[in-house]
Amino acid sequence: MSGKKRQSSQRAQQGVGAGLVEGFLKAGYNVVATSLQVSHSLTASASLVLVDGDIGKQQTAAKAVEAAIQHFGTIDVLVTTLESFASKPFTDFTTEDFEALASTTCSDSLHHAAHR
């Protein structure tokens, strides 16, 4: 393990997440990037490990933590740029709709902490 700091970023495939991955890499960090299909938009390297998956799912968070530990030894920074969007009136939401939004938006940091 080098003296570089380690960072884990979710929703790294596009937008703010992709910009954060790029910025952390330029600043000399090792990065584990997670998104549904992150391997389709980024290229892995010695400093960048990619984990495809739904970060709202505990098994994806576990894979990301395991990748960070295996490749870099630890996680120094956890960045979450997740958001979910549903295009229907709130009064039409079901319990399942709400749980899906909450899972994606809130659970990922908890899942990461549980596997650290």
Side-chain angles (χ1 to χ4, degrees), residues 39-86:
S39 63
H40 293 210
S41 57
L42 297 175
T43 302
S45 69
S47 295
L48 178 61
V49 175
L50 307 176
V51 177
D52 288 332
D54 179 352
I55 201 60
K57 306 254 185 253
Q58 189 170 4
Q59 61 268 34
T60 304
K63 288 179 188 177
V65 170
E66 290 166 10
I69 301 301
Q70 179 182 4
H71 291 275
F72 308 128
T74 189
I75 298 173
D76 294 317
V77 179
L78 175 64
V79 177
T80 302
T81 60
L82 295 172
E83 76 278 345
S84 289
F85 176 75

Side-chain angles (χ1 to χ4, degrees), residues 41 44 95 101 107 110 115:
S41 57
T95 301
L101 290 170
S107 299
L110 178 64
H115 291 283

Side-chain angles (χ1 to χ4, degrees), residues 1-8 29-32 64-78 116:
M1 179 176 72
S2 72
K4 293 172 75 171
K5 296 203 183 269
R6 283 79 43 189
Q7 186 265 348
S8 179
Y29 282 73
N30 291 314
V31 176
V32 175
V65 170
E66 290 166 10
I69 301 301
Q70 179 182 4
H71 291 275
F72 308 128
T74 189
I75 298 173
D76 294 317
V77 179
L78 175 64
R116 185 143 197 249

